Amino acid sequence: MKVFLSTDMEGTAGVVDWSQCRGPGTEYEYYRSQLQAEVNAAIDGALAAGATEFLVNDSHSTMQNLRPDDLHGRASYLSGRHKPMYMMEGLDDSFDAAFFVSYHGSAGSTSSVLYHTYNPKAIAEVRLNQTITGEAGVNALVALAYGVPVVLISGDRVTIDEALPFCPDIEAVVVKESVSHNAALSLHPDAARELIRAGAQRSLERLAGFGLPSITSPAELTVRYHNGAFAELACALRGVERMDERVVAMRNDDPLALFRTFIAAVLLSRGVSE
Ligand SMILES: [Zn+2]
């Protein structure tokens, strides 16, 4: 049984500030070890349910937050920037399940710790088939394309609530309750890891009952930007339509093609915002 893990960092228990999840610095060093422990807890739970092969795609910031020799389960480690499939790089139809570890609330959710959707400087809100989505819903397009169920997600409660419309069966692990953009009440790290471990195990034990992501086709992503320059740039891409000054829409019968268009729009926006 082969498991794909897409790991972010803002959803780790205790993390509430960018200084904790961007290096260099002692705070970052501490919190990256917390992330590593949560990733390993997910792998441990999967191992207990009989999983045999793991690919961890580091999806946060410069995407090199983990220590490969500390990964459990002899997991392969996909790290580093400029991955064409971004947070879903490495997934294909050979996998049996996908985990989203340490995910965070969307750009549209003002009460979630460190909320954003891909590019906080450019993107104000993303909707998938008219429903506000975080990165989990967007990334689920790739899982749908490859026929892989997304079975586990961890993060704050907002993250979970935003994933449920697209992954209704998902095993959801809430490790903190957001109080504001920069405050949260977190479980003790040991308690958070125990819940992640148990959730991962349970998700694979009931894998046979899982459906694919619930996204009707042709799927549509609507992206609202902070200003019109980003929207104008996105319209240079085939299949992207301007809806108004700051909003574009893209739709496609093929969920993978839709995701690729979205990622291209994100990369274009980085050119303007950085
Ligand atoms: Zn991140």
Side-chain angles (χ1 to χ4, degrees):
M1 194 197 303
K2 228 175 139 179
V3 178
F4 175 85
L5 293 91
S6 170
T7 65
D8 210 333
M9 186 166 182
E10 294 88 342
T12 293
V15 168
V16 293
D17 194 277
W18 287 118
S19 66
Q20 296 168 335
C21 44
R22 280 180 188 158
T26 50
E27 279 294 276
Y28 168 70
E29 291 303 324
Y30 171 77
Y31 282 101
R32 77 192 298 188
S33 71
Q34 301 293 305
L35 169 65
Q36 179 104 33
E38 289 195 359
V39 172
N40 280 334
I43 292 174
D44 289 345
L47 283 166
T52 49
E53 231 181 296
F54 303 91
L55 189 158
V56 175
N57 177 28
D58 192 325
S59 304
H60 172 72
S61 189
T62 56
M63 308 188 182
Q64 43 195 7
N65 303 284
L66 302 170
R67 294 295 187 220
D69 58 341
D70 287 336
L71 282 174
H72 292 185
R74 296 195 155 197
S76 305
Y77 182 44
L78 207 171
S79 58
R81 276 183 288 182
H82 307 307
K83 294 179 276 200
M85 298 301 285
Y86 224 114
M87 301 181 82
M88 297 303 280
E89 186 69 39
L91 186 69
D92 61 31
D93 61 8
S94 70
F95 286 87
D96 298 289
F99 290 178
F100 293 163
V101 178
S102 190
Y103 269 40
H104 53 80
S106 80
S109 68
T110 48
S111 61
S112 185
V113 155
L114 303 179
Y115 67 97
H116 66 280
T117 307
Y118 272 89
N119 183 0
K121 289 176 184 157
I123 296 177
E125 183 188 278
V126 179
R127 287 174 184 260
L128 175 52
N129 289 344
Q130 309 302 327
T131 301
I132 288 181
T133 181
E135 290 167 1
V138 175
N139 295 344
L141 287 165
V142 182
L144 175 64
Y146 287 119
V148 178
V150 183
V151 301
L152 177 81
I153 186 166
S154 70
D156 77 338
R157 189 171 301 279
V158 174
T159 306
I160 305 316
D161 288 345
E162 290 180 335
L164 284 173
F166 310 106
C167 304
D169 306 332
I170 202 163
E171 194 71 43
V173 181
V174 177
V175 302
K176 58 188 171 189
E177 299 283 350
S178 289
V179 172
S180 76
H181 180 209
N182 277 115
L185 173 61
S186 293
L187 296 177
H188 186 280
D190 290 344
R193 291 167 206 166
E194 176 49 32
L195 286 182
I196 291 169
R197 194 205 60 74
Q201 180 172 351
R202 226 174 8 248
S203 72
L204 294 185
E205 284 170 350
R206 61 184 183 90
L207 184 59
F210 261 95
L212 293 178
S214 171
I215 302 168
T216 28
S217 186
E220 180 184 65
L221 285 169
T222 316
V223 182
R224 183 158 59 82
Y225 291 100
H226 291 307
N227 70 59
F230 296 114
E232 187 177 319
L233 202 57
C235 289
L237 297 167
R238 190 171 49 200
V240 178
E241 191 187 336
R242 190 85 170 255
M243 305 308 282
D244 72 30
E245 168 67 11
R246 295 188 295 147
V247 179
V248 302
M250 47 193 92
R251 68 185 68 78
N252 207 307
D253 289 323
D254 173 1
L256 198 59
L258 180 61
F259 179 83
R260 295 186 84 105
T261 302
F262 175 77
I263 293 303
V266 168
L267 295 177
L268 278 177
S269 77
R270 291 201 188 281
V272 173
S273 62
E274 282 174 6

